[in-house]
Amino acid sequence: MKKIILLSLFTIAMITGCGDSTDVVTSDPVAAAAPDMNSQSDTAEGSLSGSLQALTLAELSAALSNSNTRAEADKVRDAGRKPAEVVNFLGIEEGMTVIDLVAVSGYYTEVLSHAVGASGTVYMQNSPASLTGDRGTRTEAAIVARLADNRLANVDRLNRDFADLGLSPNSIDAAVIALEIHHITRDPDAAGNFFAYIRTVLKPGGILGVVDHAGNPGSDNDAIHRADEEQVIGLAETVGFALVGT
């Protein structure tokens, strides 16, 4: 069964297993469900290593912090976003094929690039419409700067809509959407279609990771850029996802 993991920033995390029991976690969510990723790695400063292996949490954190080509603005964001912990929680590792959905300028694209290594692939997805107009022009310029000189050689841009990703069914190990699902769930029908499209390209047992700020049921979460967790989970489960953890 294809799975969804929902990460709610700055909240208590809950992990729902395959059975009927629920474990309540009162600390950092990544400590609760982090897969064993202990293996040797080459974390040479400032580059994507050709011998990069499945990084431990500490190694990935160090690789992101010590990179001499990664933008300082991204490093500042790390304190709040905890990207290495998110990747560890989702079980993303060396050699995987993953997609960063609504990647915008690619903060998570670069994180995922380090995580999957030279033997993995990261698709950086943005809709064509999102790259037009004043804001889209700025986004495009930021993407070009991030990918300049082939510095993230395992990243492929995918400027396509969800309904036409151009990817083979059952070809993606993991998909991540960060701080964008609250826009999609404005329209429950469109959100249902989104989850269905992503489910098609994920491998059996593939992971969809959703990262957003948690809103409150019944509140105007869209106005404050928050997501209703129960709504997100329900929409995903409707098309065949199973909740693994939050």
Side-chain angles (χ1 to χ4, degrees):
M1 180 172 290
K2 299 178 185 184
K3 306 168 186 177
I4 181 170
I5 294 180
L6 190 79
L7 299 183
S8 303
L9 302 184
F10 316 123
T11 66
I12 292 174
M14 297 182 66
I15 298 175
T16 305
C18 296
D20 295 330
S21 63
T22 301
D23 298 323
V24 179
V25 182
T26 57
S27 59
D28 197 320
V30 298
D36 182 6
M37 299 176 66
N38 292 316
S39 63
Q40 293 183 344
S41 63
D42 180 351
T43 55
E45 179 176 317
S47 64
L48 182 66
S49 173
S51 60
L52 192 66
Q53 299 297 312
L55 299 179
T56 65
L57 176 59
E59 289 168 339
L60 181 55
S61 294
L64 296 173
S65 297
N66 297 333
S67 171
N68 56 19
T69 65
R70 190 165 176 252
E72 289 302 317
D74 284 354
K75 294 179 183 180
V76 171
R77 294 187 184 100
D78 290 349
R81 297 188 178 185
K82 301 185 184 300
E85 287 89 339
V86 170
V87 167
N88 195 45
F89 184 69
L90 296 176
I92 293 171
E93 57 186 27
E94 184 267 338
M96 283 187 170
T97 299
V98 302
I99 184 168
D100 184 11
L101 298 161
V102 197
V104 194
S105 62
Y107 169 88
Y108 259 106
T109 300
E110 184 158 349
V111 171
L112 294 169
S113 174
H114 280 275
V116 304
S119 62
T121 299
V122 180
Y123 290 107
M124 182 185 196
Q125 185 271 334
N126 284 295
S127 69
S130 72
L131 300 175
T132 62
D134 291 342
R135 182 173 181 176
T137 299
R138 293 194 299 272
T139 299
E140 175 65 22
I143 293 170
V144 170
R146 187 180 296 277
L147 302 182
D149 300 320
N150 201 34
R151 57 179 296 272
L152 302 178
N154 59 355
V155 171
D156 291 333
R157 293 189 64 178
L158 196 64
N159 296 341
R160 304 180 72 135
D161 293 320
F162 301 133
D164 183 32
L165 291 173
L167 300 173
S168 299
N170 305 314
S171 62
I172 302 295
D173 293 295
V176 177
I177 180 166
L179 305 178
E180 296 290 341
I181 200 67
H182 62 274
H183 294 303
I184 295 173
T185 53
R186 291 172 179 171
D187 181 345
D189 290 335
N193 290 335
F194 163 78
F195 286 115
Y197 296 140
I198 303 310
R199 185 178 184 275
T200 298
V201 299
L202 283 170
K203 295 178 180 179
I207 292 291
L208 169 60
V210 179
V211 183
D212 215 321
H213 297 289
N216 298 308
S219 298
D220 186 3
N221 292 309
D222 186 47
I224 57 174
H225 299 277
R226 298 290 185 268
D228 183 331
E229 291 185 49
E230 292 185 3
Q231 179 194 31
V232 173
I233 293 168
L235 287 166
E237 289 179 334
T238 296
V239 302
F241 282 98
L243 180 66
V244 174
T246 65

